[in-house]
């Protein structure tokens, strides 16, 4: 049984890897889903960032994607166990439909995060660690420096395009 | 809810209020108002009024959308 | 118990960053951080099954608000130019 700050740090790393992997697989940095996401990406590029990272930041702002799915799945598992997480996946899907989004990234991220969090609670973690960990993980992408975060996302997007070459940016 | 959370949420409300007074641009005012509304929610949920919280969470964006129609008509 | 303190601290930090940023569109990612943190606070305050619905309603409402602000802002700029 680890201490609580160490558990929160490990949970933050797990959440970061989960939502970043699913967002890259579902091609969020490829283009803006709505016109607001494109506007945010252009402003980020004007301020010195990269355009692909800006698209991803704009998509996270303007529709619930895998990061929101991870947060709400942690809340669901914290409040009501495994059925709570699956109910949160349904709510994320409805929220995606409200925001004019297909909703595959958010729902997939929510379902995978439900099983990850539920599995982690069986080996000594608490679900509240994952809520705080997800807030820290979204802070590193959206809240510290948009220039460095968008460059990091653009670099990861290049790596992803090298592995799956048929859909280039 | 202990003192630190209460001070933090009151801080959110006060920051939002000050920013909404000081900004000139209507979009900046709307963003400041949404900080203010974010600070109110933990107080509603802490008393146990979850239905009031859900209703307020759905009414507040609708009012923002109606204000945005006026903003767009002025800028266009 | 440290988890809710982290969420509250991050919410206040992001609100201060919103005031310090002057570009309107670049304020919206920080507003997203505030809504993440407040959703975490809501879920951590009341562990009850209906809390999931309240937290999801707050999060979706906040996202819809950001979406509407960003879309209207970009539409207004296009009409001007």
């Amino acid at each position: 049984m680890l201490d609580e700050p160490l558990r929160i740090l490990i949970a933050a790393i797990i959440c970061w890897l989960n939502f970043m992997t699913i967002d890259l697989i579902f091609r969020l940095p490829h283009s803006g889903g709505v016109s607001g996401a494109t506007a945010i990406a252009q402003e980020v590029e004007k301020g010195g960032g990269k355009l692909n990272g800006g698209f991803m930041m704009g998509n996270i702002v303007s529709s619930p994607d895998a990061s929101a799915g991870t947060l709400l799945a942690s809340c669901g598992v914290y409040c009501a166990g495994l059925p709570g997480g699956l109910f949160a996946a349904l709510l994320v899907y409805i929220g995606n439909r409200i925001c004019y989004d297909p909703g595959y990234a958010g729902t997939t991220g929510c379902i995978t995060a439900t099983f990850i969090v539920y599995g982690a609670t069986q080996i000594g973690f608490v679900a509240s660690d994952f809520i705080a960990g997800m807030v820290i993980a979204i802070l590193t992408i959206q809240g510290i420096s948009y220039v460095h975060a968008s460059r990091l996302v653009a670099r990861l997007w290049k790596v992803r395009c090298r592995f799956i070459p048929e859909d280039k940016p | 809810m202990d003192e630190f959370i209460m001070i933090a949420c009151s801080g959110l409300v006060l920051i939002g209020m000050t920013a909404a007074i000081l900004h000139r641009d209507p979009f900046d005012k709307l963003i400041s108002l949404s900080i203010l509304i974010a600070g109110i929610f933990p107080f509603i949920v802490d008393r146990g009024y979850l239905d009031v919280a859900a209703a307020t969470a759905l009414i507040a964006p609708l009012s923002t959308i109606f204000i945005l129609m006026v903003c767009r008509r002025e800028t266009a | 118990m440290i988890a809710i303190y982290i969420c509250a601290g991050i919410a206040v930090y992001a609100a201060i960053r919103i005031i310090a940023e002057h570009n309107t569109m670049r304020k919206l990612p920080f507003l997203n951080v505030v809504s993440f943190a407040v959703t975490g606070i809501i879920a951590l305050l009341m562990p009850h099954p209906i809390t999931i619905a309240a937290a999801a309603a707050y999060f979706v409402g906040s996202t819809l608000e950001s979406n509407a602000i960003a879309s209207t802002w970009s539409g207004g700029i296009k009409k001007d130019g």
Side-chain angles (χ1 to χ4, degrees):
Chain A
M1 193 71 183
L2 300 165
D3 285 336
E4 191 168 6
L6 193 59
R7 276 186 285 148
I8 289 177
L9 204 60
I10 295 173
I13 295 170
I14 294 174
C15 289
W16 199 90
L17 290 175
N18 181 36
F19 89 83
M20 190 58 85
T21 308
I22 290 173
D23 280 353
L24 287 177
I25 287 175
F26 280 95
R27 307 174 64 187
L28 259 80
H30 177 69
S31 62
V34 291
S35 63
T38 313
I40 291 174
Q42 285 163 356
E43 288 295 320
V44 166
E45 194 190 23
K46 220 178 279 178
K50 290 287 178 63
L51 190 62
N52 288 116
F55 278 137
M56 173 141 169
M57 290 167 73
N59 278 328
I60 290 178
V61 167
S62 58
S63 73
D65 70 322
S67 54
T70 311
L71 179 74
L72 289 175
S74 320
C75 295
V77 174
Y78 178 73
C79 292
L82 191 57
L86 298 177
F87 178 57
L90 176 67
L91 290 176
V92 169
Y93 180 71
I94 295 172
N96 268 307
R97 299 308 299 173
I98 291 174
C99 292
Y100 312 111
D101 201 57
Y104 303 123
T107 317
T108 313
C110 196
I111 290 172
T112 57
T114 302
F115 287 108
I116 288 173
V117 175
Y118 185 72
T121 53
Q122 304 296 318
I123 59 169
F125 284 83
V126 186
S128 63
D129 300 340
F130 281 86
I131 298 176
M134 189 60 225
V135 175
I136 294 173
I138 202 68
L139 179 74
T140 60
I141 292 296
Q142 306 263 46
I144 294 186
S145 161
Y146 60 92
V147 176
H148 297 291
S150 61
R151 282 181 187 162
L152 175 66
V153 173
R155 195 173 300 159
L156 289 174
W157 172 244
K158 265 181 203 165
V159 173
R160 187 258 187 209
C161 284
R162 192 179 303 153
F163 281 116
I164 307 172
E166 64 263 21
D167 43 15
K168 291 200 170 181
Chain B
M1 177 185 271
D2 54 359
E3 285 80 13
F4 184 75
I5 311 296
M6 209 176 282
I7 291 171
C9 296
S10 313
L12 277 182
V13 173
L14 291 176
I15 288 171
M17 183 195 73
T18 316
I21 291 172
L22 291 181
H23 280 302
R24 296 292 176 83
D25 188 48
F27 293 102
D28 289 346
K29 271 189 198 295
L30 283 174
I31 290 173
S32 312
L33 277 182
S34 63
I35 305 175
L36 197 152
I37 294 170
I40 293 172
F41 270 94
F43 291 108
I44 300 177
V45 171
D46 184 49
R47 299 283 187 265
Y49 299 133
L50 291 172
D51 47 353
V52 179
T56 315
L58 295 177
I59 289 169
L62 286 182
S63 61
T64 304
I65 289 172
F66 281 115
I67 298 171
L68 277 170
M69 289 179 183
V70 180
C71 290
R72 180 161 47 189
R73 201 161 293 156
E74 281 181 355
T75 53
Chain C
M1 205 53 209
I2 308 174
I4 191 165
Y5 292 155
I6 291 177
C7 289
I10 288 176
V12 175
Y13 162 78
I16 293 171
R17 285 296 298 270
I18 290 177
I19 293 185
E21 177 71 53
H22 288 296
N23 189 316
T24 305
M25 279 297 112
R26 280 184 227 137
K27 286 181 180 195
L28 288 174
F30 298 118
L31 183 63
N32 198 12
V33 177
V34 171
S35 62
F36 265 79
V38 171
T39 308
I41 292 174
I42 288 174
L44 288 170
L45 275 177
M46 286 272 302
H48 187 272
I50 305 178
T51 311
I52 308 167
Y58 170 69
F59 191 82
V60 171
S62 159
T63 306
L64 185 63
E65 198 172 357
S66 309
N67 193 346
I69 290 175
S71 299
T72 311
W73 193 86
S74 66
I77 291 300
K78 270 175 195 165
K79 275 177 194 167
D80 284 345

